[in-house]
Amino acid sequence: MGHHCCSKQKVKRGLWSPEEDEKLIKHITTNGHGSWSSVPKLAGLQRCGKSCRLRWINYLRPDLKRGSFSEQEERTIIDVHRILGNRWAQIAKHLPGRTDNEVKNFWNSFIKKKLIAQGIDPNTHNLILSTTTNNYNTNNFNIINACNKLLPQPQQQQQTTSPLMNIFSSSSSSSSAFLSSLPYNYNNIPLHEILFSSTSNQYRNPNMFWSSTTNTNTTSTQEQNNYNIPHAPSMESPASQASTVTTTNPIIISSSSSSSSPLILNPSRCGLIDEDFIMWNSGNYEFNIEADQLIRKEEIQTQVLDPVVVVEMNNKTNHIHEMMNSTTSASFERSNNFDFDFVESTTSTVLPCGMYCNNNYHSPIDQFAWDC
DNA sequence: AATTTCGGCAACCGCTGGTCC
DNA sequence: GGGACCAGCGGTTGCCGAAAT
């Protein structure tokens, strides 16, 4: 029985013989493949066109790199998979000479198991954590504990209440208490790489409103802890509670959906990445990403693979500035001031959004992600 | 040494989206 | 608009050699 696509033909299936390979190579190198459906006949093969195409793309193409994957390739796959998910063809584009099939097989046979062994969920890239000490909702717990595990330990704070970032839900009865108990202390904000990435559909959540602001008129550590939630149009009750919350450089991610959970972050460095662009921000800046500021995809790859980013710092944040000086490069436009307005918040559907974090920009980003 | 189990990988299947008529 | 055709993609299958029993 032939394939669905060529049931009228008598086609061979199974492994390709060297003779068949030779015929296919000879035909394509001299004539090109043209329409794949016509290749079998023209090449003298009793295969269906689809099979020919697959054989060529996955095995016979001259530009293929054979052999085992390098550590760098492995790291690339993990990093990109974290952002793109099982989009093997997209991932393979980051690995010259590798096919989607090869990447997929390598993932399923090796990386997946390795991540699990490391306590990382290969699907979400979240740390697989115990639930015995979950004092908040699941998201909070994961984030807080993941961060606490990774961060330099603040000296004067309880770790379970010293998150780098928090999520609260407007529908949660504990959100107010949770907000008012945020223990942010400017001096203890570690330098972190934070990537926001929508992980489904178009990598862009048209319903997410992202904003960032900071009171830049303050000088002392305590004064800098003024928290000012800006014009987040879909913020509901949390906005009115915000003035009682102290932090610096918060980023609020909220959704137009009333049932959604606004996301409040307090990163010292943060960025947003999707298939089209990546931007970073740090310090006391309000930022705005617009469509005409797209960064080329090649640069995204660089950022994903080697997220070493220098962010210009405000002079008011000297201690962070000094720390940031140890980093060395940035390959995209950066600015002390840029506004960020992801996409107008207009509709009700909420798409997943992932976040990644690490505490060392010279190491792979391999800590965690979650949906919100 | 024979048999069974396991794992890697090539190939297949079915679906989707784009294009053409 | 819709049907046919095609390329591309991701999930799944099944072959085959290696490892385990």
Side-chain angles (χ1 to χ4, degrees):
Chain A
M1 180 180 158
H3 292 172
H4 163 75
C5 61
C6 43
S7 55
K8 294 174 184 175
Q9 303 169 14
K10 182 186 177 184
V11 295
K12 184 183 171 187
R13 297 180 59 183
L15 296 181
W16 281 63
S17 68
E19 292 75 22
E20 288 178 307
D21 283 346
E22 192 179 343
K23 283 183 180 178
L24 186 57
I25 291 170
K26 188 177 178 182
H27 172 72
I28 292 180
T29 51
T30 55
N31 305 305
H33 62 73
S35 170
W36 283 108
S37 57
S38 63
V39 165
K41 187 178 178 182
L42 296 172
L45 291 164
Q46 301 218 323
R47 295 271 181 175
C48 85
K50 201 169 183 176
S51 181
C52 292
R53 177 185 161 270
L54 232 59
R55 183 62 179 171
W56 175 259
I57 289 174
N58 288 335
Y59 199 81
L60 300 177
R61 249 169 51 199
D63 59 331
L64 288 180
K65 183 196 290 182
R66 310 299 302 181
S68 54
F69 283 76
S70 67
E71 286 186 17
Q72 176 61 43
E73 287 177 312
E74 179 186 333
R75 178 180 154 183
T76 299
I77 294 171
I78 294 171
D79 287 345
V80 181
H81 182 276
R82 188 200 328 275
I83 297 165
L84 299 179
N86 292 359
R87 299 180 67 189
W88 306 116
Q90 291 294 318
I91 295 171
K93 287 177 183 173
H94 293 263
L95 301 160
R98 301 293 188 184
T99 69
D100 55 347
N101 207 36
E102 208 175 1
V103 171
K104 178 175 58 181
N105 284 334
F106 184 58
W107 175 270
N108 286 327
S109 63
F110 181 75
I111 296 179
K112 205 170 171 180
K113 294 169 189 172
K114 185 176 179 181
L115 291 178
I116 291 171
Q118 291 174 347
I120 297 170
D121 185 329
N123 296 317
T124 64
H125 293 260
N126 284 338
L127 291 172
I128 301 169
L129 297 166
S130 162
T131 57
T132 55
T133 57
N134 187 347
N135 295 325
Y136 300 104
N137 61 42
T138 301
N139 279 342
N140 279 330
F141 174 79
N142 287 343
I143 296 162
I144 292 167
N145 284 279
C147 287
N148 285 338
K149 182 175 179 178
L150 299 165
L151 302 185
Q153 300 298 297
Q155 295 176 355
Q156 71 269 38
Q157 294 183 7
Q158 296 293 322
Q159 287 311 292
T160 55
T161 58
S162 180
L164 171 68
M165 61 201 82
N166 291 283
I167 289 179
F168 69 88
S169 168
S170 58
S171 61
S172 165
S173 60
S174 63
S175 63
S176 176
F178 181 62
L179 279 172
S180 62
S181 68
L182 289 178
Y184 289 125
N185 180 313
Y186 194 74
N187 288 315
N188 288 329
I189 298 173
L191 294 179
H192 270 246
E193 202 82 59
I194 299 178
L195 296 175
F196 303 92
S197 169
S198 65
T199 55
S200 72
N201 298 335
Q202 300 306 308
Y203 303 96
R204 184 174 300 188
N205 187 342
N207 309 306
M208 287 294 228
F209 180 88
W210 302 46
S211 60
S212 171
T213 189
T214 298
N215 185 341
T216 58
N217 297 323
T218 55
T219 52
S220 74
T221 294
Q222 294 306 314
E223 286 172 333
Q224 283 178 335
N225 285 340
N226 271 336
Y227 183 20
N228 174 24
I229 293 183
H231 48 282
S234 61
M235 294 293 285
E236 297 182 337
S237 56
S240 61
Q241 298 162 359
S243 61
T244 64
V245 180
T246 60
T247 182
T248 59
N249 193 34
I251 291 178
I252 302 99
I253 302 173
S254 60
S255 166
S256 58
S257 166
S258 60
S259 62
S260 67
S261 302
L263 176 62
I264 293 188
L265 311 168
N266 188 21
S268 57
R269 301 197 306 164
C270 67
L272 182 147
I273 181 169
D274 75 6
E275 194 169 47
D276 293 326
F277 61 81
I278 178 170
M279 289 291 281
W280 294 84
N281 179 34
S282 182
N284 300 333
Y285 314 121
E286 190 170 312
F287 54 100
N288 181 29
I289 295 177
E290 296 178 355
D292 59 2
Q293 294 176 305
L294 299 184
I295 310 298
R296 292 199 314 276
K297 290 185 180 181
E298 294 76 20
E299 292 175 329
I300 291 177
Q301 180 175 354
T302 299
Q303 290 304 314
V304 171
L305 302 184
D306 188 16
V308 178
V309 180
V310 163
V311 183
E312 300 296 334
M313 299 299 297
N314 186 309
N315 286 336
K316 295 186 190 321
T317 59
N318 288 333
H319 60 289
I320 287 184
H321 192 198
E322 291 170 7
M323 296 172 73
M324 295 295 292
N325 279 340
S326 62
T327 63
T328 57
S329 70
S331 63
F332 56 88
E333 181 181 355
R334 50 209 153 107
S335 166
N336 279 355
N337 273 307
F338 51 96
D339 295 328
F340 172 33
D341 188 0
F342 191 42
V343 177
E344 288 283 335
S345 176
T346 53
T347 57
S348 60
T349 305
V350 179
L351 302 176
C353 174
M355 172 181 290
Y356 315 110
C357 171
N358 82 356
N359 64 337
N360 182 343
Y361 19 86
H362 296 292
S363 67
I365 304 172
D366 60 359
Q367 312 306 345
F368 63 90
W370 75 92
D371 290 337
C372 61

